[in-house]
Amino acid sequence: METNLIVPAGEIKIVIDHLSLYYGSKQVLKDISLSIPEKKVTAIIGPSGCGKSSFIRTLNRMNDLIPEARVEGRVLVDGENIYDKDVDLVALRKKVGMVFQKPNPFPKSIFDNIAYGLRFDRHRRQAELEQIVERSLRQAALWDEVKDRLHQNALKLSGGQQQRLCIARALAVEPEIILFDEPCSAIDPIATARVEELIHQLKADYTVVIVTHNMQQAARVSDYTAFLWLGELVEYNRTEKIFTNPANKMTEDYITGRFG
Ligand SMILES: Nc1ncnc2c1ncn2[C@@H]1O[C@H](COP(=O)(O)OP(=O)(O)OP(=O)(O)O)[C@@H](O)[C@H]1O
Ligand SMILES: [Mg+2]
């Protein structure tokens, strides 16, 4: 499948080049090549077990945490292969942040959840931390709801608020790319609508990649959509094209709910 020409060359942030992923001897991503545009939302869709989470984790080397995982091919972020030997993983994960399916705040205060990643940088003063916490909470559309109780335990927030807190925590370290792995599957429809609206706003400043099971969500929030099936990239194109006139019969069957 020819995917190189889908995103205009000047708009590319990430190039995935012949990427394969194995867990032990089991191959779960098969020779995937596609380019992800800067400051747009790219959705990854496909049936359960097709490799969506595995794929998104290859974009900030979260798979390194799985001992039996092995990657072939290249992932270029701003032209640099993140799988090169001398890559600084701390810097990489700062640049490429991640938000998970289940909100996972630390059992600490709202303030500390966001300040956590920043405290490692000892030069930061309290006033600066306060500024960053406020900025991040505003960006994540949570500030008004929590500004009077920043020192309350984050676990007392609702699920939707916790997910926005996790987004604020990801934003606090000023990433350039944010990966979302099914960010709305554990929250209610109203919270989902807020997170979708937020994702829509985030693309003004960030490159966003989102895994979702929800076709309507992919159609609503994304600019580009990749359809994976059994570890293979079946189709990648502008979201509008994928959802109105897919080239592949399998894509059509999946988006119309005939399988998966
Ligand atoms: N740590 C692991 N070790 C071995 N196999 C794994 C591991 N994690 C995932 N797999 C396997 O890799 C394949 C892809 O899994 P992955 O979680 O990436 O799929 P997914 O598309 O995200 O599924 P879902 O929609 O259910 O979240 C599956 O067959 C899964 O069983
Ligand atoms: Mg998954």
Side-chain angles (χ1 to χ4, degrees):
M1 180 193 166
E2 183 53 73
T3 52
N4 296 339
L5 304 173
I6 287 164
V7 177
E11 298 175 16
I12 293 172
K13 182 73 174 172
I14 310 173
V15 175
I16 293 116
D17 180 29
H18 295 289
L19 178 80
S20 291
L21 174 76
Y22 302 80
Y23 295 123
S25 58
K26 184 176 149 89
Q27 185 171 10
V28 294
L29 295 176
K30 299 177 182 164
D31 196 27
I32 292 178
S33 295
L34 78 157
S35 297
I36 291 179
E38 181 165 33
K39 296 190 183 173
K40 294 272 187 325
V41 177
T42 300
I44 313 296
I45 62 170
S48 186
C50 72
K52 301 179 299 296
S53 296
S54 300
F55 173 77
I56 205 169
R57 288 195 303 257
T58 64
L59 305 182
N60 68 350
R61 290 187 53 175
M62 288 294 274
N63 281 313
D64 285 18
L65 305 173
I66 303 170
E68 65 276 19
R70 180 169 61 84
V71 165
E72 284 171 0
R74 301 187 304 163
V75 174
L76 310 176
V77 174
D78 293 329
E80 289 187 35
N81 184 13
I82 65 169
Y83 285 93
D84 277 347
K85 281 196 197 69
D86 53 357
V87 164
D88 176 347
L89 285 183
V90 174
L92 173 67
R93 296 202 183 118
K94 185 167 180 285
K95 185 168 176 170
V96 189
M98 191 153 183
V99 175
F100 299 87
Q101 178 167 8
K102 269 182 69 191
N104 58 348
F106 307 123
K108 291 171 175 288
S109 72
I110 293 167
F111 186 95
D112 285 344
N113 261 274
I114 295 168
Y116 179 82
L118 305 164
R119 289 231 158 102
F120 295 113
D121 185 350
R122 285 170 182 268
H123 319 296
R124 289 198 201 270
R125 284 196 239 110
Q126 184 66 16
E128 196 191 347
L129 281 180
E130 282 170 16
Q131 256 178 17
I132 297 172
V133 168
E134 177 171 343
R135 184 201 68 210
S136 308
L137 286 169
R138 283 188 188 280
Q139 276 183 304
L142 187 59
W143 175 251
D144 288 338
E145 289 160 64
V146 301
K147 62 178 187 238
D148 300 322
R149 46 176 170 146
L150 293 176
H151 298 285
Q152 192 187 82
N153 195 305
L155 299 178
K156 288 195 181 149
L157 296 172
S158 72
Q161 289 172 329
Q162 289 187 13
Q163 194 59 311
R164 277 178 285 144
L165 179 67
C166 293
I167 295 171
R169 186 175 66 190
L171 294 173
V173 296
E174 299 184 67
E176 294 176 24
I177 298 165
I178 309 178
L179 311 174
F180 289 92
D181 192 351
E182 299 199 50
C184 300
S185 61
I187 58 179
D188 71 35
I190 291 168
T192 294
R194 297 207 63 169
V195 171
E196 283 185 15
E197 194 185 306
L198 176 59
I199 288 171
H200 189 75
Q201 290 164 9
L202 289 178
K203 75 176 181 182
D205 299 303
Y206 304 91
T207 298
V208 175
V209 184
I210 177 173
V211 168
T212 177
H213 257 120
N214 180 324
M215 294 305 105
Q216 287 76 28
Q217 180 166 75
R220 278 193 299 263
V221 304
S222 71
D223 302 286
Y224 288 79
T225 297
F227 172 53
L228 294 184
W229 185 72
L230 291 179
E232 289 186 44
L233 178 61
V234 174
E235 189 164 352
Y236 179 55
N237 216 321
R238 298 195 65 92
T239 296
E240 202 192 331
K241 164 93 171 108
I242 294 275
F243 282 92
T244 56
N245 186 19
N248 191 291
K249 175 77 166 55
M250 278 204 295
T251 314
E252 187 181 340
D253 286 351
Y254 184 70
I255 61 171
T256 55
R258 274 189 282 251
F259 80 86

